[in-house]
């Protein structure tokens, strides 16, 4: 993918603090880079589930994905592809991102915009598909040698093409196990984060009501050995099973829940937002 320029990444704190970024996205790549050289990075792997901000995008099934990014100084651009199982039945999920990662004092910033595309949707519905844009600002700071903190904010004017704006805030912390306690070429990082999503009203054809606001949280450990990475992580949200159906549109939802005459008149319930353990493995190259 990198035209012969790929090299194995040196062991480093590879457990990036996830703040709700998609799949194998560029938000997990390093901020470091040369000021006057074009640099490339790539990653590819698989996961037992594809969880995004606490909800599954693969119907709690396995998913595969890859990412590519090019950087020149603080500027970057890249894309990802991932397998998904969504109500509109797209062939895959593609993201295209660009932005700038300046360093201000001791804070590494990321200011970017991402376009989410879902080609080949078989059931585009009344909104004619779920493609949409999102802008993001993120800051990371290291405290000493082992501790890292991060915070971020994301905004979309029309999330999943529903007509509703979305806002998301998140914060997290990470701890990198000291190298002296580990075998050579091995890095271990513990990370945890939590986020809150809230939304505006959808279009009238989708009911005109806002999507349910909710909390999500995750915690886990990442092991890095040369180019290989393994992440073991727990995810959960505070969405009820009824609200989970309203939020996700799970086509496999079943009746039996509490009826809401406006948002869920059939009382359908979904398990797409509950507690989940995910194992994720990938190879990363610079």
């Amino acid at each position: 993918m990198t035209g012969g320029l790929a090299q194995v990444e040196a062991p480093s704190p590879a457990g990036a603090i996830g703040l709700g970024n998609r799949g194998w996205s560029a938000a997990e790549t390093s901020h470091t880079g040369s000021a006057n050289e074009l640099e490339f990075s790539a990653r590819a792997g698989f996961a037992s589930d594809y969880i995004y901000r606490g909800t599954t995008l693969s119907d709690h099934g396995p998913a595969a994905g890859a990412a590519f990014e090019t950087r020149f100084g603080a500027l970057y651009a890249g894309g990802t592809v991932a397998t998904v199982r969504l109500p509109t039945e797209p062939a895959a999920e593609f993201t295209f991102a660009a932005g700038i990662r300046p360093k201000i004092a001791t804070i590494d910033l990321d200011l970017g915009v991402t376009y989410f595309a879902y080609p080949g949707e078989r059931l585009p519905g009344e909104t004619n598909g779920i493609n949409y844009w999102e802008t993001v600002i993120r800051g990371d700071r290291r405290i000493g040698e082992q501790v890292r903190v991060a915070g971020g904010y994301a905004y979309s004017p029309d999330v999943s093409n529903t007509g509703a704006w979305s806002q998301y805030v998140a914060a997290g912390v990470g701890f990198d196990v000291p190298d002296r306690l580990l075998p050579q070429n091995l890095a271990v990082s513990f990370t945890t984060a939590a986020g809150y999503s809230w939304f505006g009203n959808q279009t009238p054809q989708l009911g005109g009501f806002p999507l349910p606001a909710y909390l999500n949280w995750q915690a886990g450990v990442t092991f890095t050995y040369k180019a290989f990475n393994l992440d073991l992580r727990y995810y959960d949200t505070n969405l009820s099973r009824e609200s989970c159906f309203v939020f996700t549109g799970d086509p496999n939802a079943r009746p039996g829940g509490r009826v809401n005459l406006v948002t869920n008149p059939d009382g359908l319930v979904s398990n797409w937002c509950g507690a989940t353990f995910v194992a994720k493995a990938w190879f990363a190259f610079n």
Side-chain angles (χ1 to χ4, degrees):
M1 292 180 65
T2 55
L5 298 179
Q7 296 181 353
V8 175
E9 289 184 336
S12 63
I17 301 172
L19 298 183
N21 42 293
R22 292 269 179 144
W24 287 261
S25 69
E28 296 184 19
T29 61
S30 171
H31 286 73
T32 61
S34 172
N36 56 3
E37 291 184 1
L38 197 61
E39 299 183 336
F40 302 91
S41 63
R43 62 178 61 209
F46 61 91
S48 60
D49 198 344
Y50 182 179
I51 301 294
Y52 174 64
R53 295 178 184 172
T55 67
T56 180
L57 299 187
S58 59
D59 194 11
H60 287 310
F68 177 81
E69 183 180 273
T70 181
R71 299 184 295 272
F72 186 82
L75 301 175
Y76 70 89
T80 72
V81 59
T83 59
V84 291
R85 294 183 64 185
L86 298 172
T88 59
E89 298 185 10
E93 175 192 77
F94 290 84
T95 71
F96 307 93
I100 184 171
R101 296 193 183 112
K103 187 178 184 71
I104 299 179
T106 59
I107 300 176
D108 292 311
L109 291 176
D110 188 333
L111 308 166
V113 60
T114 303
Y115 182 69
F116 302 96
Y118 299 88
E121 292 176 278
R122 297 179 57 192
L123 303 170
E126 297 183 8
T127 61
N128 196 31
I130 58 174
N131 296 357
Y132 70 102
W133 291 91
E134 185 176 72
T135 59
V136 175
I137 179 170
R138 172 185 173 125
D140 288 74
R141 185 178 186 274
R142 181 171 289 278
I143 302 174
E145 293 295 323
Q146 270 69 56
V147 178
R148 295 169 287 130
V149 294
Y153 169 81
Y155 172 80
S156 173
D158 187 4
V159 63
S160 297
N161 201 27
T162 60
W165 52 258
S166 72
Q167 298 188 70
Y168 179 75
V169 292
V173 62
F175 174 79
D176 305 323
V177 177
D179 293 342
R180 66 180 181 275
L181 302 179
L182 299 170
Q184 187 177 7
N185 296 323
L186 179 67
V188 179
S189 299
F190 294 89
T191 55
T192 185
Y196 181 73
S197 300
W198 69 104
F199 307 90
N201 293 334
Q202 301 178 93
T203 59
Q205 58 264 40
L206 294 177
F209 55 83
L211 292 165
Y214 73 99
L215 285 165
N216 77 90
W217 55 91
Q218 48 91 356
V221 58
T222 306
F223 302 90
T224 299
Y225 181 76
K226 297 185 177 179
F228 179 73
N229 300 266
L230 174 65
D231 185 81
L232 306 175
R233 193 158 301 274
Y234 169 84
Y235 297 86
D236 204 356
T237 78
N238 70 338
L239 282 167
S240 68
R241 294 190 302 163
E242 293 86 353
S243 293
C244 184
F245 166 72
V246 174
F247 181 70
T248 65
D250 178 2
N252 299 316
R254 59 189 184 277
R258 181 177 300 175
V259 171
N260 184 306
L261 295 179
V262 176
T263 64
N264 193 349
D266 296 321
L268 298 177
V269 297
S270 169
N271 69 345
W272 279 15
C273 313
T276 307
F277 175 81
V278 177
K280 177 180 175 182
W282 71 95
F283 289 90
F285 302 93
N286 278 337

